Amino acid sequence: MSALYALFGVLFVVGYVPQVLAVWRSRNGAADVSLPTWGLWCASSTVSLLYAHFVSGDPNYTLVCLGNVAGCYAVTSVTVFRRLAHFPQPA
C-alpha cells in the first residue's frame, strides 16, 4: 500500500508540470487562473507537509507533501510573474 501511495504521489507532483507550462505560455497574463484558489492549495499543502514531517515522521509521506508544496508554489509564483509582466504597474 505504501508503494501505491508513493507512485500516485509522484504522479500528482508530475501533474503540476503541465499547469506551470500552461501558465508560462499564457498570452493574457494567466487571467483565467484563480490566485485565491491556488493560494489556498499552497496553504493546505504546507499544512500537510508540516503534519507529515512533525507528526507522522514518515519520510515518503513528507517527500510527497514536499512535492505538492513545490508544485503549488510553482504554479502560484509563475502566475504572479506572468500577471506582473502582462499588466505593468503604473509609474
Side-chain angles (χ1 to χ4, degrees), residues 25-91:
R25 294 176 182 148
S26 171
R27 303 222 184 259
N28 68 354
D32 49 349
V33 175
S34 172
L35 280 174
T37 298
W38 278 99
L40 286 172
W41 287 340
C42 285
S44 174
S45 62
T46 301
V47 169
S48 295
L49 174 62
L50 293 171
Y51 178 85
H53 180 70
F54 291 110
V55 178
S56 80
D58 181 343
N60 290 329
Y61 181 36
T62 301
L63 285 174
V64 169
C65 290
L66 183 61
N68 282 318
V69 165
C72 284
Y73 281 91
V75 172
T76 304
S77 298
V78 172
T79 301
V80 169
F81 177 80
R82 296 302 289 162
R83 290 210 183 145
L84 291 174
H86 188 75
F87 302 109
Q89 302 300 313

Side-chain angles (χ1 to χ4, degrees), residues 2-24:
S2 183
L4 187 61
Y5 180 78
L7 172 68
F8 275 96
V10 169
L11 291 175
F12 292 146
V13 171
V14 170
Y16 288 105
V17 174
Q19 184 66 47
V20 170
L21 292 174
V23 170
W24 185 256

